[in-house]
Coordinates of all heavy atoms in Angstrom, one line a residue:
M1 N -15.2 -21.1 -75.4 CA -16.2 -22.1 -75.1 C -16.5 -22.2 -73.6 O -15.6 -22.3 -72.8 CB -15.7 -23.4 -75.7 CG -16.6 -24.6 -75.5 SD -15.9 -26.0 -76.4 CE -17.3 -27.1 -76.2
E2 N -17.7 -22.1 -73.3 CA -18.2 -22.1 -71.9 C -18.2 -23.5 -71.3 O -18.7 -24.4 -72.0 CB -19.6 -21.5 -71.8 CG -20.0 -21.3 -70.4 CD -19.2 -20.3 -69.6 OE1 -18.6 -19.4 -70.2 OE2 -19.2 -20.4 -68.3
M3 N -17.5 -23.6 -70.2 CA -17.5 -25.0 -69.5 C -18.9 -25.3 -69.0 O -19.6 -24.5 -68.5 CB -16.5 -24.9 -68.4 CG -16.2 -26.1 -67.7 SD -14.8 -26.0 -66.5 CE -15.7 -25.6 -65.0
Q4 N -19.2 -26.6 -69.1 CA -20.4 -27.1 -68.5 C -20.3 -27.1 -67.0 O -19.2 -27.2 -66.4 CB -20.6 -28.5 -69.0 CG -22.0 -29.0 -68.9 CD -22.1 -30.4 -69.5 OE1 -21.1 -31.0 -70.0 NE2 -23.3 -31.0 -69.5
Q5 N -21.4 -26.9 -66.3 CA -21.4 -26.9 -64.8 C -20.8 -28.2 -64.3 O -21.4 -29.2 -64.5 CB -22.8 -26.6 -64.2 CG -22.8 -26.6 -62.7 CD -24.1 -26.3 -62.1 OE1 -25.1 -26.1 -62.8 NE2 -24.1 -26.2 -60.8
P6 N -19.7 -28.1 -63.5 CA -19.2 -29.3 -62.9 C -20.1 -29.7 -61.7 O -20.8 -28.9 -61.1 CB -17.8 -28.9 -62.4 CG -17.8 -27.4 -62.3 CD -18.9 -26.9 -63.2
S7 N -20.0 -31.0 -61.4 CA -20.7 -31.5 -60.2 C -20.1 -31.1 -59.0 O -18.9 -30.9 -58.9 CB -20.7 -33.1 -60.3 OG -21.4 -33.5 -61.4
H8 N -20.9 -30.9 -57.9 CA -20.4 -30.6 -56.6 C -19.6 -31.9 -56.2 O -20.1 -33.0 -56.4 CB -21.5 -30.3 -55.6 CG -21.0 -29.9 -54.3 ND1 -20.6 -30.8 -53.3 CD2 -20.8 -28.7 -53.7 CE1 -20.2 -30.2 -52.3 NE2 -20.3 -28.9 -52.5
P9 N -18.5 -31.8 -55.5 CA -17.8 -33.0 -55.1 C -18.6 -34.0 -54.3 O -18.4 -35.2 -54.3 CB -16.6 -32.5 -54.3 CG -16.4 -31.1 -54.7 CD -17.7 -30.6 -55.2
G10 N -19.5 -33.4 -53.5 CA -20.4 -34.3 -52.7 C -21.2 -35.2 -53.5 O -21.5 -36.4 -53.1
E11 N -21.7 -34.8 -54.7 CA -22.4 -35.7 -55.6 C -21.6 -36.8 -56.1 O -22.0 -38.0 -56.1 CB -22.9 -34.9 -56.8 CG -24.0 -33.8 -56.5 CD -24.4 -33.1 -57.8 OE1 -24.6 -33.8 -58.8 OE2 -24.5 -31.9 -57.7
V12 N -20.3 -36.5 -56.4 CA -19.4 -37.5 -56.8 C -19.0 -38.5 -55.7 O -19.0 -39.7 -55.8 CB -18.1 -36.9 -57.4 CG1 -17.1 -37.9 -57.9 CG2 -18.5 -36.0 -58.6
L13 N -18.9 -37.9 -54.5 CA -18.5 -38.7 -53.3 C -19.6 -39.8 -53.0 O -19.2 -40.9 -52.6 CB -18.3 -37.8 -52.1 CG -18.0 -38.4 -50.8 CD1 -16.7 -39.3 -50.9 CD2 -17.8 -37.4 -49.7
K14 N -20.8 -39.5 -53.3 CA -21.9 -40.5 -53.1 C -21.6 -41.7 -53.8 O -21.9 -42.8 -53.4 CB -23.2 -39.9 -53.5 CG -23.8 -38.8 -52.6 CD -25.1 -38.3 -53.2 CE -25.5 -37.0 -52.5 NZ -26.7 -36.5 -53.1
E15 N -21.0 -41.6 -55.0 CA -20.7 -42.8 -55.8 C -19.5 -43.5 -55.3 O -19.3 -44.7 -55.7 CB -20.4 -42.3 -57.3 CG -21.6 -41.6 -57.9 CD -22.9 -42.4 -58.0 OE1 -22.8 -43.6 -58.3 OE2 -23.9 -41.8 -57.7
Y16 N -18.6 -42.9 -54.6 CA -17.4 -43.5 -54.1 C -17.6 -44.3 -52.7 O -16.8 -45.2 -52.4 CB -16.3 -42.5 -53.9 CG -15.5 -42.2 -55.1 CD1 -16.0 -41.4 -56.1 CD2 -14.2 -42.7 -55.2 CE1 -15.2 -41.1 -57.2 CE2 -13.4 -42.4 -56.3 CZ -13.9 -41.6 -57.3 OH -13.2 -41.3 -58.4
L17 N -18.6 -43.8 -52.0 CA -18.8 -44.5 -50.7 C -19.3 -45.9 -50.8 O -20.1 -46.2 -51.7 CB -19.8 -43.7 -49.8 CG -19.4 -42.3 -49.4 CD1 -20.5 -41.5 -48.7 CD2 -18.1 -42.3 -48.6
P18 N -18.8 -46.8 -50.0 CA -19.3 -48.2 -50.1 C -20.8 -48.2 -49.9 O -21.4 -47.6 -49.1 CB -18.6 -48.9 -48.9 CG -17.4 -48.0 -48.6 CD -17.8 -46.6 -48.9
F19 N -21.5 -49.0 -50.8 CA -22.9 -49.1 -50.8 C -23.5 -49.6 -49.5 O -24.7 -49.2 -49.2 CB -23.4 -50.0 -52.0 CG -23.2 -51.4 -51.8 CD1 -24.2 -52.2 -51.2 CD2 -22.0 -52.0 -52.1 CE1 -24.0 -53.6 -51.0 CE2 -21.8 -53.4 -51.9 CZ -22.9 -54.2 -51.4
N20 N -22.8 -50.3 -48.7 CA -23.3 -50.9 -47.5 C -23.0 -49.9 -46.3 O -23.3 -50.3 -45.2 CB -22.7 -52.3 -47.2 CG -21.2 -52.3 -47.1 OD1 -20.6 -51.4 -47.7 ND2 -20.7 -53.3 -46.5
Y21 N -22.5 -48.7 -46.5 CA -22.2 -47.8 -45.5 C -23.3 -46.7 -45.4 O -23.7 -46.2 -46.4 CB -20.9 -47.0 -45.7 CG -19.7 -47.7 -45.1 CD1 -19.4 -49.0 -45.4 CD2 -18.8 -46.9 -44.3 CE1 -18.2 -49.6 -44.9 CE2 -17.7 -47.5 -43.8 CZ -17.4 -48.8 -44.1 OH -16.3 -49.4 -43.6
S22 N -23.9 -46.5 -44.2 CA -24.8 -45.4 -44.1 C -24.0 -44.1 -44.0 O -22.7 -44.1 -43.8 CB -25.6 -45.6 -42.8 OG -24.8 -45.5 -41.7
V23 N -24.6 -43.0 -44.0 CA -23.9 -41.7 -43.8 C -23.3 -41.7 -42.4 O -22.1 -41.2 -42.3 CB -24.9 -40.5 -44.0 CG1 -24.2 -39.2 -43.6 CG2 -25.4 -40.5 -45.4
T24 N -24.0 -42.2 -41.5 CA -23.4 -42.3 -40.1 C -22.2 -43.1 -40.0 O -21.2 -42.7 -39.4 CB -24.5 -42.8 -39.1 OG1 -25.7 -42.0 -39.2 CG2 -24.0 -42.9 -37.7
D25 N -22.2 -44.3 -40.7 CA -21.1 -45.2 -40.7 C -19.9 -44.5 -41.4 O -18.7 -44.6 -40.9 CB -21.4 -46.5 -41.4 CG -22.4 -47.4 -40.7 OD1 -22.5 -47.2 -39.5 OD2 -23.1 -48.2 -41.4
A26 N -20.1 -43.9 -42.6 CA -19.1 -43.3 -43.3 C -18.5 -42.1 -42.5 O -17.3 -41.9 -42.5 CB -19.6 -42.8 -44.7
A27 N -19.3 -41.3 -41.9 CA -18.8 -40.2 -41.1 C -18.0 -40.7 -39.9 O -16.9 -40.1 -39.7 CB -20.0 -39.4 -40.6
K28 N -18.4 -41.7 -39.3 CA -17.6 -42.3 -38.2 C -16.3 -42.8 -38.7 O -15.2 -42.5 -38.1 CB -18.4 -43.4 -37.5 CG -17.8 -43.9 -36.2 CD -18.6 -45.0 -35.6 CE -20.0 -44.4 -35.2 NZ -20.8 -45.4 -34.4
H29 N -16.3 -43.4 -39.8 CA -15.0 -44.0 -40.4 C -14.1 -42.8 -40.8 O -12.9 -42.9 -40.6 CB -15.4 -44.8 -41.7 CG -14.2 -45.4 -42.3 ND1 -13.8 -46.7 -41.9 CD2 -13.3 -45.1 -43.2 CE1 -12.7 -47.1 -42.6 NE2 -12.4 -46.1 -43.4
L30 N -14.6 -41.7 -41.2 CA -13.8 -40.5 -41.6 C -13.4 -39.7 -40.4 O -12.6 -38.8 -40.5 CB -14.6 -39.7 -42.6 CG -14.8 -40.3 -44.0 CD1 -15.8 -39.5 -44.8 CD2 -13.4 -40.3 -44.7
G31 N -14.0 -39.9 -39.3 CA -13.7 -39.2 -38.1 C -14.3 -37.8 -38.0 O -13.8 -36.8 -37.5
I32 N -15.5 -37.6 -38.7 CA -16.3 -36.4 -38.7 C -17.7 -36.6 -38.2 O -18.1 -37.8 -38.1 CB -16.2 -35.7 -40.1 CG1 -16.9 -36.6 -41.1 CG2 -14.8 -35.4 -40.5 CD1 -17.1 -36.0 -42.5
T33 N -18.4 -35.6 -38.1 CA -19.8 -35.7 -37.6 C -20.7 -36.1 -38.8 O -20.3 -35.9 -40.0 CB -20.4 -34.4 -37.0 OG1 -20.5 -33.4 -38.0 CG2 -19.5 -34.0 -35.9
R34 N -21.8 -36.8 -38.5 CA -22.8 -37.1 -39.6 C -23.2 -35.9 -40.3 O -23.4 -35.8 -41.5 CB -23.9 -37.9 -38.9 CG -24.9 -38.3 -40.0 CD -26.2 -38.8 -39.3 NE -27.1 -39.4 -40.3 CZ -27.7 -38.7 -41.3 NH1 -27.6 -37.4 -41.4 NH2 -28.5 -39.3 -42.1
A35 N -23.5 -34.8 -39.5 CA -24.0 -33.5 -40.1 C -23.0 -33.0 -41.1 O -23.4 -32.5 -42.1 CB -24.3 -32.5 -38.9
A36 N -21.7 -33.0 -40.7 CA -20.7 -32.5 -41.6 C -20.6 -33.2 -42.9 O -20.6 -32.6 -44.0 CB -19.3 -32.5 -40.9
L37 N -20.7 -34.6 -42.9 CA -20.7 -35.4 -44.1 C -22.0 -35.1 -44.9 O -21.9 -35.0 -46.1 CB -20.5 -36.8 -43.8 CG -20.4 -37.8 -45.0 CD1 -19.3 -37.3 -46.0 CD2 -20.2 -39.2 -44.5
S38 N -23.1 -35.1 -44.2 CA -24.3 -34.8 -44.9 C -24.3 -33.5 -45.6 O -24.8 -33.4 -46.8 CB -25.5 -34.8 -43.8 OG -26.7 -34.6 -44.5
R39 N -23.8 -32.5 -45.0 CA -23.7 -31.2 -45.7 C -22.8 -31.3 -47.0 O -23.2 -30.7 -48.0 CB -23.1 -30.1 -44.8 CG -24.1 -29.6 -43.8 CD -23.6 -28.3 -43.0 NE -22.3 -28.5 -42.4 CZ -22.2 -29.0 -41.1 NH1 -23.3 -29.3 -40.4 NH2 -21.0 -29.1 -40.6
I40 N -21.8 -32.0 -46.9 CA -20.9 -32.2 -48.1 C -21.7 -33.0 -49.2 O -21.8 -32.6 -50.4 CB -19.6 -32.9 -47.8 CG1 -18.7 -32.0 -47.0 CG2 -18.9 -33.4 -49.1 CD1 -17.5 -32.7 -46.3
L41 N -22.3 -34.1 -48.8 CA -23.0 -34.9 -49.8 C -24.2 -34.2 -50.4 O -24.6 -34.5 -51.6 CB -23.5 -36.2 -49.1 CG -22.4 -37.2 -48.6 CD1 -23.1 -38.3 -47.8 CD2 -21.6 -37.7 -49.7
N42 N -24.8 -33.3 -49.7 CA -25.9 -32.5 -50.2 C -25.5 -31.2 -50.9 O -26.4 -30.4 -51.2 CB -27.0 -32.3 -49.1 CG -27.6 -33.6 -48.7 OD1 -28.1 -34.3 -49.6 ND2 -27.6 -33.9 -47.4
G43 N -24.2 -31.0 -51.1 CA -23.7 -29.8 -51.7 C -23.9 -28.5 -50.9 O -23.8 -27.4 -51.5
K44 N -24.0 -28.6 -49.6 CA -24.2 -27.4 -48.8 C -22.8 -27.0 -48.2 O -22.7 -26.0 -47.6 CB -25.2 -27.7 -47.6 CG -26.5 -28.2 -48.1 CD -27.2 -27.1 -48.9 CE -28.6 -27.5 -49.3 NZ -29.2 -26.7 -50.3
A45 N -21.8 -27.8 -48.3 CA -20.5 -27.5 -47.7 C -19.4 -28.1 -48.7 O -19.7 -29.0 -49.5 CB -20.3 -28.2 -46.4
G46 N -18.3 -27.4 -48.7 CA -17.2 -27.8 -49.7 C -16.3 -28.8 -49.0 O -16.3 -29.1 -47.8
I47 N -15.3 -29.2 -49.8 CA -14.3 -30.1 -49.4 C -13.1 -29.3 -48.9 O -12.5 -28.5 -49.7 CB -13.8 -31.0 -50.5 CG1 -15.0 -31.8 -51.1 CG2 -12.7 -31.9 -50.1 CD1 -15.5 -32.9 -50.2
S48 N -12.7 -29.4 -47.7 CA -11.5 -28.7 -47.1 C -10.3 -29.5 -47.5 O -10.4 -30.7 -47.9 CB -11.6 -28.5 -45.6 OG -11.6 -29.8 -45.0
A49 N -9.1 -28.9 -47.3 CA -7.9 -29.6 -47.5 C -7.8 -30.9 -46.6 O -7.4 -31.9 -47.0 CB -6.7 -28.7 -47.3
E50 N -8.2 -30.7 -45.3 CA -8.1 -31.8 -44.4 C -9.1 -32.9 -44.8 O -8.8 -34.1 -44.8 CB -8.5 -31.4 -43.0 CG -8.4 -32.5 -42.0 CD -8.6 -32.1 -40.5 OE1 -8.4 -30.9 -40.2 OE2 -9.0 -33.0 -39.8
M51 N -10.3 -32.5 -45.3 CA -11.2 -33.6 -45.7 C -10.7 -34.3 -47.0 O -10.9 -35.5 -47.1 CB -12.6 -32.9 -46.0 CG -13.7 -33.9 -46.5 SD -13.9 -35.3 -45.4 CE -14.7 -34.5 -44.1
D52 N -10.1 -33.5 -47.8 CA -9.4 -34.1 -49.0 C -8.5 -35.2 -48.6 O -8.5 -36.3 -49.2 CB -8.7 -33.1 -49.8 CG -8.0 -33.6 -51.0 OD1 -6.8 -34.1 -50.9 OD2 -8.6 -33.6 -52.1
L53 N -7.7 -35.0 -47.6 CA -6.7 -36.0 -47.1 C -7.4 -37.2 -46.5 O -7.0 -38.3 -46.7 CB -5.7 -35.4 -46.2 CG -4.8 -34.3 -46.8 CD1 -3.9 -33.7 -45.7 CD2 -3.9 -34.9 -47.9
R54 N -8.5 -36.9 -45.7 CA -9.2 -38.0 -45.1 C -9.8 -38.9 -46.2 O -9.8 -40.1 -46.1 CB -10.3 -37.4 -44.2 CG -9.9 -36.8 -42.9 CD -11.0 -36.1 -42.2 NE -10.5 -35.4 -41.0 CZ -10.6 -35.8 -39.8 NH1 -11.2 -37.0 -39.5 NH2 -10.2 -35.1 -38.8
L55 N -10.4 -38.3 -47.2 CA -11.0 -39.0 -48.3 C -9.9 -39.8 -49.1 O -10.2 -40.9 -49.5 CB -11.8 -38.1 -49.2 CG -13.1 -37.5 -48.6 CD1 -13.6 -36.4 -49.5 CD2 -14.1 -38.6 -48.3
A56 N -8.8 -39.2 -49.3 CA -7.7 -39.9 -50.0 C -7.3 -41.1 -49.2 O -7.1 -42.2 -49.9 CB -6.5 -38.9 -50.2
D57 N -7.2 -41.0 -47.9 CA -6.8 -42.2 -47.1 C -7.9 -43.3 -47.2 O -7.6 -44.4 -47.4 CB -6.6 -41.8 -45.7 CG -5.2 -41.1 -45.4 OD1 -4.4 -41.2 -46.3 OD2 -5.1 -40.5 -44.3
A58 N -9.1 -42.8 -47.0 CA -10.3 -43.8 -46.9 C -10.6 -44.4 -48.2 O -11.1 -45.6 -48.2 CB -11.5 -43.1 -46.3
L59 N -10.5 -43.7 -49.3 CA -10.9 -44.2 -50.6 C -9.8 -44.5 -51.6 O -10.1 -45.1 -52.6 CB -11.8 -43.1 -51.2 CG -13.1 -42.8 -50.4 CD1 -13.8 -41.6 -51.0 CD2 -14.0 -44.0 -50.4
G60 N -8.6 -44.2 -51.2 CA -7.5 -44.6 -52.1 C -7.3 -43.6 -53.3 O -6.7 -43.9 -54.3
T61 N -7.9 -42.4 -53.1 CA -7.7 -41.4 -54.2 C -6.5 -40.7 -53.9 O -5.9 -40.7 -52.8 CB -8.9 -40.4 -54.2 OG1 -9.1 -39.9 -52.9 CG2 -10.2 -41.2 -54.7
S62 N -6.0 -39.9 -54.8 CA -4.7 -39.2 -54.6 C -5.0 -37.9 -53.8 O -6.1 -37.3 -54.0 CB -4.0 -38.9 -55.9 OG -4.9 -38.3 -56.8
P63 N -4.1 -37.5 -53.0 CA -4.2 -36.2 -52.3 C -4.4 -35.1 -53.4 O -3.7 -35.0 -54.3 CB -2.9 -36.0 -51.5 CG -2.4 -37.4 -51.3 CD -2.8 -38.1 -52.6
G64 N -5.4 -34.2 -53.1 CA -5.7 -33.2 -54.1 C -6.8 -33.5 -55.0 O -7.4 -32.6 -55.6
F65 N -7.2 -34.7 -55.2 CA -8.3 -35.1 -56.1 C -9.6 -34.4 -55.8 O -10.2 -33.8 -56.6 CB -8.5 -36.6 -56.0 CG -9.6 -37.1 -56.8 CD1 -9.5 -37.3 -58.2 CD2 -10.9 -37.4 -56.2 CE1 -10.6 -37.8 -59.0 CE2 -11.9 -37.9 -57.0 CZ -11.8 -38.1 -58.4
W66 N -10.0 -34.4 -54.5 CA -11.3 -33.8 -54.1 C -11.2 -32.3 -54.1 O -12.1 -31.6 -54.4 CB -11.7 -34.4 -52.8 CG -11.9 -35.9 -52.9 CD1 -11.1 -36.9 -52.5 CD2 -13.1 -36.5 -53.4 NE1 -11.6 -38.1 -52.8 CE2 -12.8 -37.9 -53.4 CE3 -14.3 -36.0 -54.0 CZ2 -13.8 -38.8 -53.8 CZ3 -15.2 -37.0 -54.4 CH2 -14.9 -38.3 -54.4
S67 N -10.0 -31.8 -53.7 CA -9.8 -30.3 -53.6 C -9.9 -29.7 -55.0 O -10.4 -28.7 -55.2 CB -8.5 -30.0 -53.0 OG -8.5 -30.3 -51.6
C68 N -9.3 -30.4 -56.0 CA -9.3 -29.9 -57.4 C -10.7 -29.9 -57.9 O -11.1 -28.9 -58.6 CB -8.4 -30.8 -58.3 SG -6.7 -30.6 -58.1
M69 N -11.5 -30.9 -57.6 CA -12.9 -30.9 -58.0 C -13.6 -29.8 -57.3 O -14.5 -29.1 -58.0 CB -13.5 -32.3 -57.6 CG -14.8 -32.6 -58.3 SD -15.5 -34.2 -57.8 CE -14.1 -35.3 -58.0
Q70 N -13.3 -29.5 -56.1 CA -14.0 -28.4 -55.3 C -13.6 -27.0 -56.0 O -14.5 -26.2 -56.2 CB -13.6 -28.4 -53.9 CG -14.3 -27.3 -53.0 CD -15.8 -27.6 -52.9 OE1 -16.2 -28.7 -52.5 NE2 -16.6 -26.6 -53.3
V71 N -12.4 -26.8 -56.3 CA -12.0 -25.6 -57.0 C -12.7 -25.4 -58.3 O -13.1 -24.3 -58.6 CB -10.4 -25.5 -57.1 CG1 -10.0 -24.4 -58.1 CG2 -9.7 -25.4 -55.8
Q72 N -12.8 -26.4 -59.1 CA -13.5 -26.3 -60.4 C -14.9 -25.9 -60.2 O -15.4 -25.1 -60.9 CB -13.4 -27.6 -61.2 CG -12.0 -28.0 -61.7 CD -11.5 -26.9 -62.7 OE1 -12.3 -26.5 -63.6 NE2 -10.3 -26.5 -62.5
Y73 N -15.5 -26.5 -59.2 CA -16.9 -26.2 -58.9 C -17.1 -24.8 -58.4 O -17.9 -24.0 -58.9 CB -17.5 -27.2 -57.8 CG -18.9 -26.9 -57.4 CD1 -20.0 -27.3 -58.1 CD2 -19.1 -26.1 -56.2 CE1 -21.3 -27.1 -57.7 CE2 -20.4 -25.8 -55.8 CZ -21.5 -26.3 -56.6 OH -22.8 -26.0 -56.2
D74 N -16.2 -24.3 -57.5 CA -16.2 -23.0 -57.0 C -16.0 -21.9 -58.0 O -16.7 -20.9 -58.1 CB -15.2 -22.8 -55.8 CG -15.5 -23.6 -54.6 OD1 -16.7 -24.0 -54.4 OD2 -14.6 -23.8 -53.8
I75 N -15.0 -22.2 -58.9 CA -14.8 -21.2 -60.0 C -15.9 -21.1 -60.9 O -16.3 -20.0 -61.3 CB -13.5 -21.6 -60.8 CG1 -12.3 -21.3 -59.9 CG2 -13.4 -20.8 -62.1 CD1 -10.9 -21.8 -60.4
W76 N -16.6 -22.2 -61.3 CA -17.7 -22.2 -62.2 C -18.8 -21.4 -61.5 O -19.5 -20.5 -62.1 CB -18.2 -23.6 -62.5 CG -19.2 -23.6 -63.6 CD1 -19.0 -23.7 -64.9 CD2 -20.7 -23.4 -63.4 NE1 -20.2 -23.6 -65.6 CE2 -21.2 -23.4 -64.7 CE3 -21.5 -23.2 -62.4 CZ2 -22.6 -23.3 -65.0 CZ3 -22.9 -23.1 -62.6 CH2 -23.4 -23.1 -63.9
Q77 N -19.1 -21.6 -60.2 CA -20.1 -20.9 -59.5 C -19.8 -19.4 -59.5 O -20.7 -18.5 -59.7 CB -20.2 -21.4 -58.0 CG -20.8 -22.8 -57.9 CD -22.3 -22.9 -58.3 OE1 -23.0 -22.0 -58.1 NE2 -22.6 -23.9 -59.0
A78 N -18.5 -19.0 -59.2 CA -18.1 -17.6 -59.1 C -18.3 -16.9 -60.5 O -18.8 -15.8 -60.6 CB -16.7 -17.5 -58.7
K79 N -18.0 -17.6 -61.6 CA -18.2 -17.1 -62.9 C -19.6 -16.7 -63.2 O -19.9 -15.8 -64.0 CB -17.6 -18.0 -64.0 CG -16.2 -18.0 -64.1 CD -15.7 -19.0 -65.3 CE -14.3 -18.9 -65.6 NZ -13.9 -19.7 -66.7
Q80 N -20.5 -17.5 -62.6 CA -22.0 -17.2 -62.9 C -22.4 -15.9 -62.3 O -23.4 -15.3 -62.7 CB -22.8 -18.4 -62.3 CG -22.5 -19.7 -62.9 CD -22.2 -19.8 -64.4 OE1 -23.1 -19.4 -65.2 NE2 -21.0 -20.1 -64.7
H81 N -21.7 -15.4 -61.3 CA -22.1 -14.2 -60.5 C -21.1 -13.0 -60.7 O -21.4 -11.9 -60.3 CB -22.2 -14.5 -59.0 CG -23.2 -15.6 -58.8 ND1 -24.5 -15.5 -58.9 CD2 -22.9 -16.9 -58.4 CE1 -25.1 -16.7 -58.6 NE2 -24.2 -17.5 -58.3
Y82 N -20.0 -13.3 -61.3 CA -18.9 -12.3 -61.5 C -19.3 -11.3 -62.6 O -19.4 -11.7 -63.7 CB -17.6 -12.9 -61.7 CG -16.4 -12.0 -61.8 CD1 -15.9 -11.4 -60.7 CD2 -15.9 -11.6 -63.0 CE1 -14.8 -10.5 -60.7 CE2 -14.8 -10.7 -63.1 CZ -14.3 -10.2 -62.0 OH -13.2 -9.4 -62.0
K83 N -19.5 -10.0 -62.3 CA -19.9 -9.1 -63.3 C -18.9 -7.9 -63.5 O -19.1 -7.1 -64.3 CB -21.3 -8.5 -62.9 CG -22.4 -9.5 -62.7 CD -22.7 -10.2 -64.0 CE -23.8 -11.1 -63.8 NZ -23.8 -12.3 -64.6
H84 N -17.8 -7.9 -62.7 CA -16.9 -6.8 -62.8 C -16.0 -6.9 -64.1 O -15.7 -8.0 -64.6 CB -16.0 -6.8 -61.6 CG -16.7 -6.6 -60.3 ND1 -17.2 -5.4 -59.9 CD2 -17.1 -7.4 -59.4 CE1 -17.8 -5.5 -58.8 NE2 -17.8 -6.7 -58.4
Q85 N -15.7 -5.7 -64.6 CA -14.7 -5.6 -65.7 C -13.5 -4.9 -65.1 O -13.5 -3.7 -65.0 CB -15.3 -4.8 -66.8 CG -16.5 -5.5 -67.5 CD -16.0 -6.5 -68.5 OE1 -14.9 -6.4 -69.0 NE2 -16.8 -7.6 -68.7
I86 N -12.5 -5.6 -64.7 CA -11.3 -5.0 -64.1 C -10.2 -5.0 -65.2 O -9.9 -6.1 -65.8 CB -10.9 -5.8 -62.9 CG1 -12.0 -5.8 -61.8 CG2 -9.6 -5.3 -62.3 CD1 -11.7 -6.7 -60.6
S87 N -9.6 -3.9 -65.4 CA -8.6 -3.8 -66.3 C -7.3 -4.4 -65.8 O -7.1 -4.5 -64.6 CB -8.3 -2.3 -66.7 OG -7.9 -1.6 -65.6
R88 N -6.4 -4.8 -66.7 CA -5.2 -5.4 -66.3 C -4.3 -4.3 -65.6 O -4.4 -3.1 -65.9 CB -4.4 -6.0 -67.5 CG -5.1 -7.2 -68.0 CD -4.3 -7.8 -69.1 NE -5.0 -8.9 -69.7 CZ -4.7 -10.1 -69.6 NH1 -3.6 -10.5 -69.0 NH2 -5.4 -11.1 -70.2
F89 N -3.4 -4.8 -64.8 CA -2.4 -3.9 -64.2 C -1.4 -3.4 -65.3 O -1.2 -4.2 -66.3 CB -1.5 -4.6 -63.2 CG -2.2 -4.9 -61.9 CD1 -2.5 -6.2 -61.6 CD2 -2.5 -3.9 -61.0 CE1 -3.2 -6.5 -60.4 CE2 -3.1 -4.2 -59.8 CZ -3.5 -5.5 -59.5
L90 N -1.0 -2.2 -65.2 CA 0.0 -1.7 -66.2 C 1.3 -2.4 -66.0 O 1.6 -2.8 -64.9 CB 0.2 -0.2 -66.0 CG -1.1 0.7 -66.3 CD1 -0.8 2.1 -66.1 CD2 -1.6 0.5 -67.7
N91 N 2.0 -2.6 -67.1 CA 3.3 -3.3 -67.0 C 3.2 -4.7 -66.6 O 4.1 -5.3 -66.0 CB 4.3 -2.6 -66.2 CG 4.5 -1.2 -66.7 OD1 4.6 -0.9 -67.9 ND2 4.7 -0.2 -65.7
A92 N 2.0 -5.3 -66.7 CA 1.8 -6.7 -66.3 C 2.5 -7.6 -67.3 O 2.6 -7.3 -68.5 CB 0.3 -7.1 -66.3
A93 N 3.1 -8.7 -66.8 CA 3.9 -9.6 -67.6 C 3.0 -10.3 -68.6 O 1.9 -10.6 -68.5 CB 4.6 -10.5 -66.8

């Protein structure tokens, strides 16, 4: 069964940010540039391990929450373009 396309973590992050915070305010709070946060929110950049920890601190999510979402998104994207048929290693467990 094919998995449905997961949302980019930036799309989800938009829902977590306080409604009264601008992108500039949120970026300042996170200690990053406005441009860096904007790229994440617009799906142009991924969530790094450090950003995951910053978001965990700022939003009360568990460490790894955002990274797991990023991995799911990345794997789905890769599957859309992966065309190789690689055989298994011999004597693989």
